[in-house]
């Protein structure tokens, strides 16, 4: 994965950002407590479990003795995380010493969980009502197809056969930061947008869900309720049907949006309607590092700059079109070539040569992935050379100083500018010097002092 | 590199640019006017008038400051920009100082124009197969 500028934080970062009162409300639900516990770093998990039946505050100094000295940094990270999520609450006694106490709601719910065992947020509908449900394979293909359809619409692709029913203002919310639109021009993918497309599906999903939740208040919806519902959703069983009647109005509206994204599938019976969580939904509470979905590569690049992508995905075709010239789009094969003109189109959008090369290497077809290198060197070198060809002229806004009355004054000014790292050019013979434009006022002040 | 060779040969066939004449400097920066304003306040007494006179005399030798763009590039691109400057009418010439074969100082407002001319030149030297 290339250096991703788009921070695809998971839910727990959003949870941690909530104000204390809302966070405490969130812990009314045992499922959220469980999800939070799952998301903690290992040491923080240990501390949470260790404190589960301790009701009195434990001194911070005493807690530091739970780890060896060389793990003090890990200890600090774990404690910070517990405090951010308000699993631990800081307590100060009369002697101003810091102690940590467990959040009472969190503690109560987790104790009950241990004693009674886990339960589902809601019972699935019996199979006598739903008759035939989609198989897991069908659900997965539905989810990916729906998600891809959303992504194509997100990047304003002309390949969208059937768009989602999101309003244009909602789409603009999702596109914020991914697409840029100049006056009169069609929106184009930004550097962040390209990086977004290169992310794996779970990371993309978190980004979109974050935008969805962040914009909730603009739609008159409480973000806390949304977060609560989404975390709850991840505890539903994959492939089981759950009735829409058990949902609140906010949740029912959210479910329809989630169906557009491929997180759930909606179905209608004679009397009932129900939703079926897909794998995308059950992955919501998984942390980024737990993700183990390694997609198989599909791209073969030849030394003659021809490119063959063995893929049925229209989204893959759109991604390749960003930096290559797609010549044929067959049902399961995309044939293209990497040309200077197509790469310049990508460079103008802010996509870098390194991003393109990383994409080609990480998505190399299994037949070429083991070769060294997976992408021919003449191709990667040429991509880099074409990029540097764009940057042959370097321009810096500056001030030129001339007509110095004395050599001594000229030398002092040169040294002054050089010491501040703002000297761009000097010509001792003609006594000229050039400094960055932002340094002009300081230089003027320096000249005044030399008077 | 085929493209570079093509570009170099294209540039080498260009007519040699006429010798550059540096245009007159742009107006002096506010530094001198500040000095003049300061000097004007010291004309009360004979001794001070003498100091004012010496200040004014020194002001005439004060440093000129010119705002512009400092350009660094390789020799072929520098020649391209010089040729571009030569092809402009006199009122549109933009090179203030040719510092050396790879550096120049130009008017501050011509950055976008130069970039688009370079891009245009690059496009003229490439062929895109019709779709």
């Amino acid at each position: 994965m290339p250096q991703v500028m788009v921070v695809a934080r998971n839910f727990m970062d959003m949870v941690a950002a909530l104000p204390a009162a809302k966070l405490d409300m969130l812990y009314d639900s045992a499922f959220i407590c469980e999800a939070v516990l799952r998301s903690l770093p290992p040491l923080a998990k240990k501390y949470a479990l260790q404190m589960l039946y301790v009701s009195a505050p434990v001194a911070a100094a005493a807690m530091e003795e739970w780890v060896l000295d060389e793990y003090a940094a890990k200890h600090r990270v774990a404690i910070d995380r517990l405090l951010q999520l308000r699993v631990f609450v800081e307590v100060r006694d009369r002697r101003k010493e810091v102690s940590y106490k467990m959040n009472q709601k969190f503690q109560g719910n987790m104790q009950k969980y241990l004693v009674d065992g886990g339960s589902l947020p809601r019972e699935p509908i019996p199979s006598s009502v739903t008759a035939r449900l989609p198989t897991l394979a069908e659900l997965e293909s539905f989810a990916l197809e729906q998600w891809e359809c959303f992504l194509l619409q997100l990047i304003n692709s002309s390949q969208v056969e059937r768009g989602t029913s999101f309003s244009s203002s909602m789409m603009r919310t999702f596109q914020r930061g991914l697409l840029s639109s100049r006056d009169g021009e069609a929106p184009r993918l930004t550097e962040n947008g390209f990086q977004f497309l290169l992310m794996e599906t779970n990371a993309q999903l978190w980004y979109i869900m974050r935008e969805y939740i962040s914009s909730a208040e603009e739609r008159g919806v409480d973000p806390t309720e949304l977060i609560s519902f989404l975390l709850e959703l991840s505890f539903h069983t994959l492939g089981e049907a759950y009735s829409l009647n058990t949902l609140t109005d906010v949740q029912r509206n959210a479910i329809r949006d989630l169906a557009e994204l491929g997180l759930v599938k909606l179905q209608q019976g004679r009397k009932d309607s129900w939703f079926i969580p897909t794998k995308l939904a059950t992955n919501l509470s998984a942390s980024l590092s737990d993700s183990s979905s390694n997609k198989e590569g599909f791209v073969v690049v030849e030394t003659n700059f021809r490119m063959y992508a063995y893929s049925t995905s229209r989204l893959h075709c759109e991604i390749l079109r960003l930096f290559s010239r797609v010549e044929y789009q067959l049902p399961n094969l995309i044939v293209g070539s990497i040309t200077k003109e197509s790469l310049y189109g990508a460079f103008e959008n802010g996509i870098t040569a390194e991003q393109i090369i990383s994409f080609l290497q990480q998505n190399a077809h299994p037949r070429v992935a083991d070769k060294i290198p997976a992408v021919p060197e003449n191709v990667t070198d040429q991509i880099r050379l074409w990029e540097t060809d764009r940057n042959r002229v370097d321009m810096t806004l500056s001030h030129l100083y001339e007509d110095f009355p004395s050599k001594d004054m000229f030398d002092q000014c040169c040294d002054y500018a050089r010491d501040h790292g703002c000297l761009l050019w000097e010509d001792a013979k003609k006594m000229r010097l050039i400094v960055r434009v932002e340094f002009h006022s300081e230089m003027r002040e320096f000249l005044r002092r030399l008077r | 590199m085929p493209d570079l060779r093509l570009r170099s040969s294209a540039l080498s066939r260009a007519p040699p640019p006429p010798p550059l004449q540096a245009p007159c400097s742009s107006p002096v920066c506010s530094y001198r006017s500040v000095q003049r304003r300061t000097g004007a306040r010291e004309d009360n007494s004979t001794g001070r008038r003498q100091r004012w006179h010496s200040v004014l005399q020194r002001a005439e030798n004060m440093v000129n400051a010119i705002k512009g763009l400092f350009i660094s590039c390789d020799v072929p691109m520098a020649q391209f920009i010089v040729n571009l400057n030569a092809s402009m009418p006199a009122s549109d010439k933009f090179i203030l100082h040719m510092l050396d074969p790879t550096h120049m100082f130009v008017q501050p407002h011509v950055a976008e124009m130069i970039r688009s001319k370079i891009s245009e030149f690059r496009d003229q030297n490439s062929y895109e197969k019709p779709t």
Side-chain angles (χ1 to χ4, degrees):
Chain A
M1 176 79 72
Q3 180 66 35
V4 178
M5 277 184 235
V6 180
V7 179
R9 295 186 302 164
N10 59 30
F11 265 135
M12 295 312 153
D13 290 336
M14 299 200 78
V15 171
L18 290 173
K22 286 184 184 284
L23 199 44
D24 285 346
M25 270 172 52
L26 216 54
Y27 288 148
D28 284 338
S29 168
F31 306 107
I32 291 164
C33 296
E34 188 183 340
V36 165
L37 184 65
R38 282 185 188 176
S39 77
L40 294 173
L43 201 54
K45 276 193 179 95
K46 180 186 189 300
Y47 290 167
L49 294 177
Q50 208 159 323
M51 292 285 289
L52 204 58
Y53 281 92
V54 178
S55 52
V58 173
M63 208 171 270
E64 278 164 26
E65 293 171 18
W66 292 1
V67 289
L68 300 174
D69 288 341
E70 54 261 38
Y71 296 102
K74 279 194 163 75
H75 172 81
R76 190 72 247 156
V77 168
I79 294 293
D80 280 353
R81 193 58 175 171
L82 290 163
L83 290 170
Q84 283 165 16
L85 288 165
R86 287 183 62 79
V87 174
F88 280 8
V89 181
E90 201 173 90
V91 176
R92 291 179 181 270
D93 57 16
R94 280 158 294 179
R95 287 171 296 172
K96 301 294 179 185
E97 286 175 7
V98 176
S99 296
Y100 300 123
K101 187 185 179 201
M102 202 168 207
N103 186 314
Q104 279 179 327
K105 282 191 178 181
F106 187 93
Q107 194 176 47
N109 271 325
M110 292 312 294
Q111 284 175 3
K112 196 190 305 175
Y113 187 84
L114 277 184
V115 172
D116 298 336
S119 63
L120 296 174
R122 45 182 63 84
E123 290 299 318
I125 293 180
S127 55
S128 57
V129 177
T130 59
R132 202 195 83 87
L133 291 177
T135 65
L136 292 190
E138 283 168 355
L139 261 192
E140 180 155 351
S141 68
F142 162 81
L144 294 184
E145 190 179 295
Q146 198 68 27
W147 178 248
E148 179 167 303
C149 176
F150 168 75
L151 287 184
L152 285 167
Q153 186 174 345
L154 186 68
I155 62 175
N156 279 14
S157 169
S158 56
Q159 294 288 314
V160 180
E161 293 169 4
R162 164 185 55 90
T164 66
S165 65
F166 284 120
S167 65
S168 54
S169 67
M170 177 74 84
M171 287 306 291
R172 273 196 297 274
T173 298
F174 291 137
Q175 287 166 342
R176 190 167 52 203
L178 301 181
L179 265 66
S180 72
S181 56
R182 298 206 197 101
D183 296 330
E185 286 187 17
R188 296 196 303 188
L189 218 52
T190 63
E191 187 178 347
N192 286 345
F194 188 68
Q195 285 175 356
F196 172 82
L197 288 181
L198 295 182
M199 284 180 205
E200 55 149 1
T201 303
N202 277 335
Q204 287 173 339
L205 185 60
W206 284 318
Y207 182 89
I208 294 297
M209 294 317 302
R210 186 182 74 154
E211 293 299 317
Y212 184 69
I213 291 165
S214 299
S215 63
E217 267 162 8
E218 297 167 20
R219 305 194 304 273
V221 175
D222 185 4
T224 312
E225 191 170 352
L226 260 190
I227 292 173
S228 175
F229 179 57
L230 289 166
L231 286 176
E232 220 178 76
L233 194 63
S234 62
F235 284 90
H236 289 54
T237 307
L238 174 64
E240 294 284 346
Y242 298 91
S243 174
L244 290 187
N245 297 334
T246 60
L247 305 179
T248 67
D249 283 346
V250 165
Q251 290 171 348
R252 198 169 297 126
N253 284 329
I255 272 286
R256 295 190 201 285
D257 287 338
L258 298 181
E260 300 288 349
L261 295 173
L263 274 76
V264 298
K265 186 176 173 62
L266 295 178
Q267 277 189 345
Q268 183 99 31
R270 278 191 309 274
K271 293 180 182 175
D272 274 319
S273 299
W274 55 83
F275 66 92
I276 306 163
T278 67
K279 195 174 69 173
L280 292 181
T282 56
N283 277 345
L284 277 178
S285 68
S287 62
L288 195 52
S289 57
D290 288 352
S291 179
S292 59
S293 67
N294 49 342
K295 292 181 292 184
E296 200 178 60
F298 58 94
V299 182
V300 175
V301 183
E302 294 185 336
T303 55
N304 59 4
F305 293 81
R306 299 284 284 180
M307 187 176 61
Y308 302 90
Y310 294 88
S311 170
T312 59
S313 166
R314 280 168 293 128
L315 183 66
H316 286 160
C317 190
E318 289 306 301
I319 293 174
L320 296 176
R321 209 184 289 276
L322 291 174
F323 58 84
S324 69
R325 180 188 160 100
V326 171
E327 312 236 8
Y328 312 109
Q329 193 179 350
L330 307 178
N332 65 343
L333 174 67
I334 301 157
V335 181
S337 56
I338 293 170
T339 67
K340 185 170 81 155
E341 291 73 35
S342 64
L343 285 170
Y344 277 167
F347 297 148
E348 274 169 35
N349 281 338
I351 300 170
T352 66
E354 287 308 316
Q355 284 181 278
I356 294 166
I357 292 166
S358 292
F359 175 85
L360 294 172
Q361 286 167 346
Q362 287 168 23
N363 290 276
H365 193 277
R367 292 284 291 271
V368 298
D370 296 335
K371 288 188 178 180
I372 298 170
V375 179
E377 254 174 25
N378 70 308
V379 177
T380 57
D381 286 350
Q382 188 63 62
I383 293 173
R384 291 191 180 97
L385 283 169
W386 276 327
E387 186 183 43
T388 59
D389 192 49
R390 280 187 85 239
N391 304 319
R392 293 170 70 186
V393 178
D394 191 24
M395 300 183 186
T396 312
L397 207 55
S398 55
H399 271 89
L400 180 141
Y401 293 88
E402 58 182 353
D403 297 340
F404 282 87
S406 69
K407 185 70 157 62
D408 185 53
M409 191 185 216
F410 172 76
D411 287 340
Q412 288 182 64
C413 290
C414 278
D415 292 341
Y416 186 68
R418 189 184 292 108
D419 291 345
H420 286 77
C422 289
L423 183 68
L424 295 170
W425 171 266
E426 64 169 314
D427 184 348
K429 197 184 301 182
K430 293 177 180 171
M431 290 206 294
R432 285 174 178 163
L433 71 97
I434 300 179
V435 304
R436 293 183 191 280
V437 73
E438 59 266 21
F439 195 65
H440 177 53
S441 56
E442 287 187 58
M443 180 61 78
R444 189 170 58 192
E445 188 59 37
F446 184 75
L447 281 165
R448 185 177 295 137
R449 288 202 300 268
L450 285 186
R451 176 166 48 90
Chain B
M1 162 124 48
D3 289 301
L4 277 184
R5 211 179 301 127
L6 174 61
R7 185 173 297 110
S8 296
S9 66
L11 275 175
S12 66
R13 278 195 295 269
L20 260 185
Q21 299 293 335
C24 295
S25 306
S26 62
V28 181
C29 72
S30 59
Y31 176 76
R32 182 178 292 184
S33 61
V34 167
Q35 287 307 302
R36 206 174 277 127
R37 203 179 309 120
T38 303
R41 270 188 242 120
E42 295 176 317
D43 60 355
N44 295 332
S45 68
T46 305
R48 284 185 177 164
R49 188 174 299 110
Q50 277 190 358
R51 183 137 46 102
W52 171 83
H53 182 260
S54 70
V55 166
L56 178 64
Q57 195 171 36
R58 195 185 303 161
E60 288 166 359
N61 298 323
M62 267 308 140
V63 181
N64 278 344
I66 305 163
K67 185 173 182 181
L69 266 184
F70 178 69
I71 294 184
S72 295
C73 54
D74 52 52
V75 172
M77 291 311 298
Q79 283 301 306
F80 176 81
I81 295 172
V82 167
N83 192 50
L84 178 64
N85 181 71
S87 68
M88 295 259 170
S91 58
D92 288 335
K93 290 191 192 298
F94 54 84
I95 295 186
L96 301 174
H97 291 290
M98 199 64 202
L99 304 169
D100 74 11
T102 57
H103 298 92
M104 64 191 77
F105 193 71
V106 305
Q107 303 269 13
H109 62 275
V110 296
E112 204 48 49
M113 186 268 292
I114 292 176
R115 278 194 218 284
S116 64
K117 291 288 185 181
I118 290 169
S119 181
E120 193 179 304
F121 175 75
R122 190 174 55 221
D123 289 344
Q124 285 170 18
N125 285 279
S126 65
Y127 168 76
E128 185 151 20
K129 180 164 65 165
T131 307

